Amino acid sequence: MKRLLFMGCLSYLLTGCTHVILGAVLPELLHHYGRSYSAGGTLVFLEFGGFLLGVLAMPWSVRYLSRRTMITLAFGLLFLAMTMIALLPPWTLMVLFTFIAGVAFGLVESGISTSVLLAAKEQQAIAFSKLEVAFGLGALCMPLISSLLIAGGVWRMAFLLLALSALMTGGVWSRLSLGEHDKLLGNKADRSQPGQRSSALNRKSLAFLGLFMVVFFLYVGMENAIVNFLPSIFKDGLGASSSVATLAVTVFWIAMVGGRLFAGRLAESMTYYRYLIVSFAGAVVTALVWIFSGEMWSSFALVLILGLFMAGMYAVALIYANQLLPGRTEQTTSALIAAGGFGGSVLPLGVGWGMDHLSLDVAIWFVAAGMCAVFAIILYSRRSRVEIAREPEGNVA
């Protein structure tokens, strides 16, 4: 299990880098092509549209390929896409390879998360938390590296660095023995195995799942808008240099990673429900204060606080939903990740348009409004909890 979890964390580190690389160099990229924020929103939309396609294609692909082969090929696809993007091709090809990169890391993230959850069994929450920390470290390091490359005038090398990392990681996946889990990764998915089928969702279960799909749709859209447009907010709204503006994303992910180290323990002691309520309420207040803050350093502090509140939202909400829908881990996890991918592709498109035609503060207002909506849904979910034959195990109250 240790080797599988190590490779899962290494891969999530890389997907974290992929998740934020466009936002980290977006001002330079748009300047190179002479494009507006709306075009930046289009790139983010296509990357996460590709991510959504990758997530949805994963269950189908493992019916015909082994999980190991699928993950290896996905890393190869990511290598190709990032190499071509580093060459700064014509805009049409840039859009195409951005979409392909999204497909690749959607396949990687969903394939690895499913494999780790299946292997971890009773320790799913612990394993998933480690994956999330690794993802956050990647999302933290990439803007820092990009900031240094921007300062050196070689910002496009960030894409090449990511391409080479994908190539090496894919190579390791193709050859490394994972002991007892080689069979899990080497075999095609078998849906006919006893105990692997999920019981049918009833009407109340579907309603609850639908509520949490909205939660993930909004949350990932908000997180994606923050990491992709934060440098632009600091550069054009607060007058920061490109390298300093990019560091804002690093500050955000420092808070996210630090918070994730303790989110699990806090959620267990507070209960999942209360943890989510406090987190979303705190994020709402922070975003509202940020709207009226015109100073660069106070904005950095508020970004740090916002990251701390958002740190455990994704993982805890995923565990909370799975605890209340027992026996449907694969079904529930896939649905929520897909909903998040859809939100991550669609919502930043609207944010980019709003920043072009209305105000740079649109992104912050969107975060505040989105957090309010999710806060209301979590409150409502308390009243509409699924009725099941036995009380779900775990700290969900």
Side-chain angles (χ1 to χ4, degrees):
M1 185 62 199
K2 288 183 178 180
R3 285 190 180 184
L4 176 60
L5 193 55
F6 173 79
M7 286 304 300
C9 289
L10 180 63
S11 302
Y12 257 62
L13 182 75
L14 193 55
T15 60
C17 293
T18 307
H19 180 74
V20 303
I21 189 170
L22 277 180
V25 300
L26 190 62
E28 306 301 319
L29 191 64
L30 296 180
H31 176 74
H32 174 80
Y33 284 100
R35 300 281 174 163
S36 65
Y37 289 124
S38 293
T42 300
L43 281 181
V44 176
F45 169 78
L46 288 170
E47 182 184 38
F48 273 78
F51 171 82
L52 176 60
L53 178 60
V55 170
L56 295 176
M58 187 278 294
W60 175 84
S61 66
V62 296
R63 291 177 184 269
Y64 301 96
L65 302 170
S66 68
R67 288 183 174 88
R68 185 192 294 272
T69 300
M70 186 272 293
I71 292 170
T72 301
L73 290 176
F75 274 118
L77 196 63
L78 184 60
F79 164 73
L80 172 64
M82 287 295 156
T83 299
M84 296 306 299
I85 291 173
L87 297 176
L88 298 179
W91 180 254
T92 302
L93 291 178
M94 170 64 74
V95 168
L96 173 63
F97 285 111
T98 297
F99 179 79
I100 292 173
V103 173
F105 90 83
L107 286 168
V108 168
E109 186 171 326
S110 57
I112 289 174
S113 63
T114 301
S115 298
V116 169
L117 288 175
L118 288 173
K121 297 178 182 178
E122 70 278 1
Q123 294 185 326
Q124 291 178 346
I126 296 173
F128 197 84
S129 296
K130 291 180 180 179
L131 292 180
E132 282 285 280
V133 170
F135 183 94
L137 285 173
L140 187 160
C141 293
M142 196 71 245
L144 180 60
I145 294 170
S146 298
S147 178
L148 295 174
L149 293 175
I150 288 171
V154 289
W155 55 270
R156 67 177 181 172
M157 290 298 102
F159 295 105
L160 185 59
L161 179 63
L162 192 52
L164 294 174
S165 299
L167 182 64
M168 290 187 290
T169 305
V172 174
W173 267 108
S174 68
R175 295 179 176 275
L176 182 66
S177 172
L178 299 173
E180 62 179 319
H181 300 300
D182 279 338
K183 185 176 180 180
L184 171 66
L185 292 170
N187 293 339
K188 299 174 185 177
D190 184 0
R191 306 290 180 180
S192 65
Q193 290 182 359
Q196 296 301 315
R197 292 181 179 179
S198 299
S199 57
L201 288 167
N202 59 36
R203 185 178 300 177
K204 290 187 177 182
S205 297
L206 283 172
F208 183 83
L209 181 59
L211 284 173
F212 269 80
M213 287 178 72
V214 174
V215 169
F216 277 74
F217 174 83
L218 290 173
Y219 172 80
V220 179
M222 289 184 288
E223 182 184 294
N224 202 25
I226 291 171
V227 299
N228 284 285
F229 294 114
L230 201 55
S232 299
I233 292 171
F234 272 76
K235 181 179 180 180
D236 297 334
L238 300 174
S241 65
S242 294
S243 57
V244 171
T246 302
L247 287 176
V249 184
T250 302
V251 170
F252 177 75
W253 281 109
I254 285 174
M256 290 283 275
V257 171
R260 284 173 178 175
L261 292 173
F262 305 100
R265 291 182 181 179
L266 282 174
E268 290 290 343
S269 62
M270 296 173 63
T271 75
Y272 298 149
Y273 170 78
R274 290 172 184 164
Y275 177 89
L276 292 173
I277 287 295
V278 171
S279 296
F280 284 112
V284 170
V285 173
T286 304
L288 290 174
V289 173
W290 189 12
I291 290 171
F292 301 102
S293 173
E295 299 296 327
M296 185 185 304
W297 299 114
S298 62
S299 294
F300 268 111
L302 290 167
V303 167
L304 182 69
I305 296 170
L306 183 63
L308 288 173
F309 278 121
M310 293 180 66
M313 290 178 179
Y314 188 94
V316 174
L318 187 64
I319 296 168
Y320 181 62
N322 272 297
Q323 289 285 340
L324 294 178
L325 292 169
R328 305 183 182 96
T329 299
E330 186 174 353
Q331 184 181 17
T332 301
T333 301
S334 297
L336 296 181
I337 290 177
F342 185 52
S345 64
V346 172
L347 296 179
L349 190 64
V351 173
W353 182 91
M355 290 174 68
D356 267 339
H357 296 89
L358 300 174
S359 166
L360 289 174
D361 288 340
V362 163
I364 309 175
W365 276 108
F366 165 65
V367 171
M371 290 294 177
C372 282
V374 172
F375 178 77
I377 291 173
I378 298 297
L379 280 176
Y380 180 75
S381 74
R382 177 80 166 182
R383 299 177 53 192
S384 61
R385 286 177 58 174
V386 183
E387 293 180 0
I388 53 178
R390 61 181 180 84
E391 282 297 316
E393 297 176 1
N395 196 5
V396 300

